[in-house]
Amino acid sequence: MTLSLFDQFLSPVVCWIPLVAIAIMLPWVLFPSPTTRWVNNRNLTSQNWFLGQSTSQIFLPINPGGHKWAILLSSLLIFLTTMNTAGLLPYTFTPTSQLSINMGFAGALWMGIVILGMRTQPTHSLGHLLPEGAPAMLTPVLVIIETISLFIRPIALGVRLTANLTAGHLLIQLTSTATLALLTIMPVTAILTGVLLFLLALLEAAVALIQAYVFILLLSLYLQENV
Amino acid sequence: MPQLIPTPWLALLIFSWTIFTAIVLPKVLKHSFPDNPTLPSKQNLSKNKWDWSWH
């Protein structure tokens, strides 16, 4: 019975259409492409403003050479935010709860950043394996630890997003099942559980936005080290 | 855990990257951020006067 609670994360197929495909392709209808007009409509103007603000915030601490990554990271931010928030709607599938999708983005981008750093400035990139101000005696240990932490990064990036979204959706399913089951037996407890469900939904909305932002922020930090 | 089933792994990975590069990147690229308009200053007009010095 407990294992069946994870069934919501199985890639669903309805009438031979994998719902993952619809979940990934449909939300872009909400983001119209900007026209060549001088002034666009309110929807486009507000999206333009958010995009510009978030991109400038993320790329403030990065060297100008790293600003080529702006298009990649800002569009990934929009991708992840949209996928996360769209998955909060009932009966939708959250693509970013799948390890395959998150590891695909995390691993590929991390590897690109590390290879970029190693090719353009190898000494500077390898210098990050020994933090400044560390005692000389600890150098061998620190280098080993920092190397391990370097290779853990893509796994941590992907699994962080997956685990946060999976746990959130699981909690929502559990509390909603509990609320419905208790409604006839213990109504007051059911109301309390309903309040808990409401608060959880608010938390999940926040988590959806924050986790997408954290993903991009960490990638920008890794870029800052390597560019 | 369903996320660890290997069958749709590669398909999902490639599909998500394909949609990301085919749809999201072009949409974001089309956004432009023009400079803020500046008020014209009268001093600049007087400095840029052209005098036909060879006539």
Side-chain angles (χ1 to χ4, degrees):
Chain A
M1 192 252 157
T2 328
L3 277 175
S4 72
L5 286 170
F6 278 98
D7 283 351
Q8 60 172 309
F9 301 113
L10 279 171
S11 196
V13 179
V14 167
C15 298
W16 291 282
I17 306 170
L19 291 182
V20 148
I22 301 179
I24 294 180
M25 286 199 293
L26 202 55
W28 310 114
V29 170
L30 298 168
F31 292 90
S33 284
T35 61
T36 48
R37 301 277 174 163
W38 181 254
V39 175
N40 288 310
N41 58 20
R42 280 177 291 202
N43 192 10
L44 270 171
T45 313
S46 61
Q47 284 175 7
N48 192 19
W49 183 83
F50 274 114
L51 186 64
Q53 285 291 309
S54 54
T55 314
S56 60
Q57 279 298 307
I58 293 170
F59 280 87
L60 263 175
I62 300 180
N63 291 331
H67 290 190
K68 295 172 212 159
W69 286 73
I71 173 67
L72 199 53
L73 289 185
S74 48
S75 49
L76 188 62
L77 176 67
I78 290 181
F79 184 87
L80 291 176
T81 335
T82 315
M83 294 289 116
N84 290 355
T85 43
L88 286 172
L89 299 167
Y91 293 107
T92 51
F93 181 72
T94 321
T96 37
S97 70
Q98 298 300 306
L99 259 180
S100 45
I101 295 178
N102 294 340
M103 291 301 293
F105 284 112
L109 290 168
W110 168 84
M111 202 184 296
I113 291 171
V114 167
I115 290 175
L116 176 73
M118 290 293 174
R119 281 190 64 162
T120 52
Q121 33 177 25
T123 319
H124 180 81
S125 298
L126 285 170
H128 280 293
L129 291 176
L130 185 65
E132 271 184 51
M137 295 280 287
L138 288 175
T139 311
V141 183
L142 271 176
V143 170
I144 295 172
I145 293 175
E146 290 285 331
T147 314
I148 295 172
S149 96
L150 177 70
F151 284 99
I152 287 276
R153 278 177 182 176
I155 306 170
L157 264 178
V159 173
R160 182 184 300 110
L161 188 56
T162 311
N164 267 291
L165 288 174
T166 309
H169 283 268
L170 207 59
L171 270 174
I172 288 178
Q173 188 180 11
L174 278 170
T175 32
S176 54
T177 317
T179 315
L180 274 177
L182 286 172
L183 211 50
T184 46
I185 310 168
M186 296 189 276
V188 179
T189 320
I191 293 171
L192 286 173
T193 323
V195 170
L196 179 66
L197 180 60
F198 176 70
L199 294 173
L200 251 178
L202 285 176
L203 176 71
E204 280 315 302
V207 163
L209 297 170
I210 290 169
Q211 284 304 318
Y213 175 67
V214 160
F215 195 96
I216 301 300
L217 189 67
L218 284 170
L219 277 175
S220 76
L221 283 172
Y222 304 153
L223 184 64
Q224 214 175 315
E225 286 182 357
N226 283 300
V227 87
Chain B
M1 216 174 76
Q3 284 97 330
L4 294 173
I5 298 173
T7 330
W9 254 74
L10 189 64
L12 278 174
L13 211 157
I14 291 177
F15 185 71
S16 58
W17 264 103
T18 315
I19 298 294
F20 177 69
T21 51
I23 298 181
V24 187
L25 279 177
K27 266 191 198 281
V28 172
L29 259 173
K30 283 185 196 158
H31 279 271
S32 63
F33 302 94
D35 295 333
N36 287 325
T38 50
L39 291 170
S41 57
K42 287 176 189 170
Q43 284 175 346
N44 268 340
L45 276 174
S46 56
K47 276 182 192 169
N48 290 337
K49 254 180 144 178
W50 178 251
D51 58 330
W52 300 88
S53 48
W54 56 88
H55 283 293

